[in-house]
Amino acid sequence: MNIDEVGEKLVSGLQERSSGSGPKAAHEVLAVVFQIRQDRLCVLVWRRGRPPCEGLWALPGGRLGAAEGLGESIRRQLAQKVDVRDLSHLEQLETRGDPDRDPFGRTLATAYLGLVPAGIDPVVPVDTEWRPVPELPPMAFDHAAMVGSARRRLRAKLSYTNIGFALAPPEFTMSELSRYYRAALGHDVAATNLRRVLLRRGQIEETGQSVPSGRSGGRPAALFRFRARSLEITDAFAVLRPPSG
Amino acid sequence: MNIDEVGEKLVSGLQERSSGSGPKAAHEVLAVVFQIRQDRLCVLVWRRGRPPCEGLWALPGGRLGAAEGLGESIRRQLAQKVDVRDLSHLEQLETRGDPDRDPFGRTLATAYLGLVPAGIDPVVPVDTEWRPVPELPPMAFDHAAMVGSARRRLRAKLSYTNIGFALAPPEFTMSELSRYYRAALGHDVAATNLRRVLLRRGQIEETGQSVPSGRSGGRPAALFRFRARSLEITDAFAVLRPPSG
DNA sequence: TCTAGTTTTCGTCTGATAGGCAAAAACTCG
DNA sequence: CGAGTTTTTGCCTATCAGACGAAAACTAGA
């Protein structure tokens, strides 16, 4: 490309920009809300009762309000499905805007990742269920892809952040926590290693209390809690970090 | 919240959804394009010649076309500022939608992170410049925040992915590469350690050739290249990884 | 040609971290 | 009090990052 071509394209670009009446599209916000239930990673979905995609399962969410911010909107929409006070974490995930992602008109969608700690059972509407992620039901639109993105994001952040705080209840034993990690990561996590890693990173601490272990006896398990309840990056993972001096 | 309240909220949610005539907002795509020039991390910006934000600097981008995908659109928009064939990497960054982010009407913006390898000098329009990120000029709208997000994303990915391939030219010496990393990370990176780290991770390999070093002699530097030219995650950083067995 | 200077490369050391494994601790139940 | 169960602790190894200095390989000048 030579400079003249660039100049022409620039002019047309400015004209388009200043014309001011570009196309407007509907925008919706959706949430992939995970909770670990019975040692399985589950996602909150609801069954669509009318077209389009009738009978398929969809993520909670809906149209962005006229004067709403994105985060504001997803909290309002989620309140229709769960008590948002149960949400331990919420972050923006991705925006999808394929022209044909919604057969009934151009719709952009911004997806969020939400987490609810294990151990509680929020009231949900009759059309809404927690479904295990490995056996996802037939999903509407591109919602299955969003669940996949959310799962990858969660897996990655379990490695280099303290996001476990949002999966676990306020207090937990190490064997419980290792089961949460196993469900979210999809593979075994030894409780003994997890304990050492998270303690060394300063993510968790002992509460000083303990609870009797399972039905058939065993040493009482110490209770732990996460030191922080908001997202922090483990800087041990910032490789190529600044020189120590 | 009890079950009845949930039910009511659900109904109102369905009505809102099926009403079909939600508010429509303008949507634009923007790109934070970085290139390392003279050992400094620079961002591609252009100076606005008319209101709003006249005289301030803005990220390249513009309105989403009626039948365009988001990635498709940002490539089209960027073509007005640079030769998109120079782009070595492009990924979605975040979507901002504060109701008052654009004083002239509700506009959502999806930002992308783009990278151009060092060593080339793309032709840009007269109103467009590469500006060093540490001395960012006064930016329009929330574009300064987007540059900040992009910089954090780049810094993080330099640690746990091979994204260096998008900053460096096809072949480079280790001292050159360490200067690219220093510019992007903001702190010194020892060439000797960088070499070992990237070789061990399998990200780079020797080309077999070497070039005479600087003006005043010195041992000739070996030339390296990145083995892959698309984003790969360094699994050494997947802590809590599956058991070795 | 030899020497001084410069730059890159290589080898070694240290410290931090992850993961595996087995022994010890602490409890329940019979 | 002993057997069984579960958690906790300690030890070992392997891997990795970072620092440092010595060696290698070149240029320029005497």
Side-chain angles (χ1 to χ4, degrees):
Chain A
M1 181 184 298
N2 62 37
I3 187 73
D4 297 61
E5 290 172 346
V6 172
E8 283 184 353
K9 291 201 174 184
L10 171 61
V11 169
S12 68
L14 280 175
Q15 286 172 340
E16 179 169 332
R17 162 101 208 166
S18 54
S19 69
S21 62
K24 300 196 175 188
H27 199 101
E28 62 181 3
V29 288
L30 300 168
V32 182
V33 181
F34 287 141
Q35 186 192 24
I36 290 167
R37 304 170 67 87
Q38 280 112 29
D39 293 341
R40 290 153 65 95
L41 182 68
C42 297
V43 59
L44 189 69
V45 290
W46 60 283
R47 191 166 182 279
R48 296 181 63 86
R50 65 182 71 186
C53 297
E54 183 173 0
L56 298 183
W57 296 78
L59 296 173
R63 288 271 166 76
L64 178 67
E68 266 179 336
L70 289 168
E72 196 181 340
S73 181
I74 191 59
R75 288 186 176 276
R76 174 180 65 78
Q77 312 265 7
L78 272 178
Q80 300 170 2
K81 299 294 182 184
V82 291
D83 188 340
V84 290
R85 289 169 301 186
D86 291 333
L87 279 177
S88 49
H89 181 69
L90 189 63
E91 69 176 49
Q92 196 185 102
L93 188 59
E94 65 180 0
T95 299
R96 291 184 166 252
D98 282 355
D100 54 353
R101 63 171 293 278
D102 184 338
F104 282 70
R106 182 72 190 269
T107 307
L108 299 167
T110 297
Y112 278 75
L113 165 64
L115 298 175
V116 172
I120 63 178
D121 192 15
V123 176
V124 297
V126 289
D127 66 348
T128 304
E129 296 178 16
W130 293 97
R131 287 302 196 91
V133 171
E135 308 150 22
L136 213 58
M139 299 289 287
F141 310 110
D142 50 4
H143 293 194
M146 290 174 177
V147 174
S149 294
R151 189 168 211 277
R152 283 189 293 276
R153 172 81 61 99
L154 175 61
R155 284 185 53 131
K157 288 213 165 179
L158 279 172
S159 279
Y160 63 90
T161 73
N162 64 341
I163 203 171
F165 81 85
L167 291 178
E171 299 193 346
F172 47 85
T173 68
M174 284 315 300
S175 60
E176 285 167 8
L177 189 64
S178 74
R179 289 202 300 274
Y180 302 145
Y181 272 73
R182 177 161 58 94
L185 291 173
H187 59 75
D188 275 343
V189 176
T192 173
N193 285 335
L194 187 64
R195 173 205 187 91
R196 229 176 333 103
V197 169
L198 297 188
L199 276 177
R200 180 168 37 210
R201 292 182 181 177
Q203 286 187 20
I204 61 174
E205 64 188 0
E206 285 194 65
T207 67
Q209 301 190 342
S210 61
V211 294
S213 67
R215 66 196 81 264
S216 57
R219 177 171 175 164
L223 283 177
F224 291 80
R225 71 171 85 92
F226 277 88
R227 294 167 73 101
R229 301 200 66 78
S230 61
L231 201 64
E232 297 177 354
I233 296 177
T234 302
D235 65 342
F237 278 83
V239 184
L240 310 172
R241 53 178 168 273
S244 52
Chain B
M1 182 185 298
N2 62 39
I3 186 73
D4 296 65
E5 288 173 346
V6 171
E8 282 184 353
K9 291 200 172 184
L10 170 61
V11 170
S12 69
L14 279 175
Q15 287 173 339
E16 179 169 333
R17 162 98 207 168
S18 53
S19 70
S21 62
K24 302 198 175 189
H27 198 102
E28 61 181 5
V29 288
L30 301 167
V32 181
V33 181
F34 287 141
Q35 186 192 23
I36 291 168
R37 304 170 66 87
Q38 279 111 30
D39 293 341
R40 289 151 67 95
L41 182 68
C42 298
V43 60
L44 189 69
V45 290
W46 60 283
R47 191 165 182 279
R48 295 180 64 86
R50 64 182 70 189
C53 297
E54 184 174 358
L56 299 184
W57 296 78
L59 295 173
R63 288 272 165 75
L64 178 67
E68 267 179 334
L70 288 168
E72 195 180 341
S73 181
I74 191 59
R75 288 186 176 276
R76 175 181 64 78
Q77 312 265 8
L78 271 178
Q80 300 170 2
K81 300 294 183 184
V82 291
D83 188 339
V84 291
R85 289 170 301 186
D86 291 334
L87 279 176
S88 48
H89 181 68
L90 188 62
E91 69 176 49
Q92 195 185 103
L93 188 59
E94 65 180 358
T95 299
R96 292 184 165 250
D98 282 355
D100 53 353
R101 64 170 292 278
D102 184 338
F104 282 70
R106 182 71 190 270
T107 306
L108 299 168
T110 296
Y112 279 74
L113 165 64
L115 297 176
V116 172
I120 63 178
D121 192 14
V123 175
V124 297
V126 288
D127 66 349
T128 304
E129 296 179 15
W130 294 97
R131 287 300 195 94
V133 172
E135 308 150 23
L136 212 58
M139 300 289 288
F141 310 110
D142 50 3
H143 293 196
M146 290 173 175
V147 174
S149 294
R151 190 167 209 277
R152 283 188 294 275
R153 171 81 61 99
L154 174 61
R155 286 184 52 131
K157 288 213 165 178
L158 279 173
S159 279
Y160 63 91
T161 74
N162 64 341
I163 203 172
F165 80 86
L167 291 178
E171 300 192 347
F172 47 84
T173 68
M174 285 314 299
S175 59
E176 284 167 10
L177 190 64
S178 74
R179 288 201 300 274
Y180 302 146
Y181 272 73
R182 177 160 59 95
L185 291 174
H187 59 75
D188 275 345
V189 176
T192 173
N193 286 333
L194 187 63
R195 173 204 188 92
R196 222 175 341 98
V197 169
L198 297 188
L199 277 176
R200 182 168 37 209
R201 292 182 180 176
Q203 286 187 20
I204 61 174
E205 64 188 0
E206 284 194 66
T207 67
Q209 301 191 344
S210 60
V211 294
S213 67
R215 62 197 84 264
S216 58
R219 177 171 176 166
L223 282 177
F224 290 81
R225 66 170 151 258
F226 276 88
R227 295 166 73 101
R229 302 200 66 78
S230 60
L231 201 64
E232 296 178 353
I233 296 178
T234 302
D235 66 340
F237 278 83
V239 184
L240 309 172
R241 54 179 168 274
S244 54

